[in-house]
Amino acid sequence: EVKLLESGGGLVQPGGSLRLSCAASGFTFTDFYMSWIRQPPGKAPEWLGVIRNKANGYTTEYNPSVKGRFTISRDNTQNILYLQMNTLRAKDTAIYYCARRGAGDYWGQGVMVTVSS
Amino acid sequence: DVVLTQTPSILSATIGQSVSISCRSSQSLLDSDGNTYLYWFLQRPGQSPQRLIYLVSNLGSGVPNRFSGSGSGTDFTLKISGVEAEDLGVYYCMQATHAPWTFGGGTKLELK
């Protein structure tokens, strides 16, 4: 059974940093692209970026809205996906999801990130 | 960025009724590789989005066959043939042909 479990969310002050984790299980992690997607309360989801699979060299693509502030990485020995978020702003407040594949055939349950002073 | 416009924004239906949701793109979603990277998701209240349809018309794993997708280029449709109570929630289309990948604004399906 495919499982994705995010962690690391919480309350952070504007300008601060946070690292989210996504523990994956139930599939061969290195075979799959992995994405981060966020959803502000009451709004549509926003794709943040993707990290490709082993066959495609684990390269990354980002939404320009977060490029330079957010970094996606993966630990392929522990099957963990990461999202490093720097210089956080109030507009970054959202539920953050990890998803398998670029367009998410499986999603985690999400983790809330609140940026506020 | 590619803008996906979903209509209607709210859809009221009775159980058993067939309904359709439209997703129109500001650019063609036909990729140079011949694929059209258009997806449909359902987000039930309090849950994560669930993928229903991939590549325009392919049913996701475990998705009931009352759901179907169609379309090409810039115009796409999700049809539910016989709404059931578990289908209520917000439907989103998403495109992954043009970076950055984008979602539509959503269509809320509610009981009439």
Side-chain angles (χ1 to χ4, degrees):
Chain A
E1 180 188 6
V2 173
K3 290 187 179 179
L4 299 170
L5 184 62
E6 301 94 339
S7 61
L11 175 64
V12 60
Q13 291 191 337
S17 297
L18 209 57
R19 188 177 79 160
L20 305 182
S21 301
C22 169
S25 62
F27 63 99
T28 303
F29 188 61
T30 53
D31 283 352
F32 288 87
Y33 288 33
M34 298 295 296
S35 289
W36 285 99
I37 298 162
R38 70 182 177 186
Q39 187 172 30
K43 295 188 175 182
E46 178 187 25
W47 173 79
L48 300 179
V50 66
I51 185 164
R52 296 182 176 88
N53 57 8
K54 181 178 181 180
N56 288 278
Y58 302 125
T59 54
T60 53
E61 298 286 347
Y62 295 95
N63 191 320
S65 67
V66 300
K67 191 173 184 179
R69 294 192 302 127
F70 289 12
T71 302
I72 298 173
S73 61
R74 59 195 296 167
D75 182 335
N76 296 305
T77 61
Q78 298 203 56
N79 293 352
I80 300 175
L81 177 72
Y82 296 104
L83 179 66
Q84 177 67 43
M85 303 186 292
N86 298 329
T87 320
L88 284 163
R89 310 161 179 163
K91 291 176 69 173
D92 295 319
T93 294
I95 298 174
Y96 284 72
Y97 298 99
C98 64
R100 192 180 78 163
R101 295 188 190 273
D105 59 349
Y106 288 91
W107 295 50
Q109 87 290 347
V111 63
M112 187 69 204
V113 172
T114 303
V115 184
S116 175
S117 55
Chain B
D1 297 3
V2 172
V3 175
L4 298 180
T5 302
Q6 288 184 234
T7 55
S9 55
I10 300 176
L11 187 54
S12 296
T14 57
I15 300 300
Q17 182 180 353
S18 292
V19 298
S20 293
I21 299 169
S22 170
C23 176
R24 289 190 170 173
S25 173
S26 60
Q27 299 179 37
S28 174
L29 299 184
L30 177 62
D31 193 75
S32 56
D33 66 6
N35 288 317
T36 299
Y37 295 95
L38 188 282
Y39 305 83
W40 289 96
F41 296 86
L42 163 60
Q43 187 172 30
R44 298 184 177 94
Q47 295 187 16
S48 308
Q50 169 197 1
R51 195 179 74 174
L52 300 173
I53 302 285
Y54 63 97
L55 300 179
V56 179
S57 58
N58 295 278
L59 212 58
S61 175
V63 176
N65 60 12
R66 61 180 179 274
F67 291 94
S68 62
S70 62
S72 64
T74 60
D75 288 349
F76 303 92
T77 301
L78 175 71
K79 182 177 181 180
I80 310 173
S81 299
V83 169
E84 298 192 6
E86 65 180 17
D87 301 337
L88 303 183
V90 182
Y91 289 81
Y92 295 101
C93 56
M94 175 198 169
Q95 68 82 24
T97 298
H98 303 285
W101 303 346
T102 51
F103 287 82
T107 295
K108 183 177 182 180
L109 177 62
E110 59 184 26
L111 274 180
K112 189 180 291 183

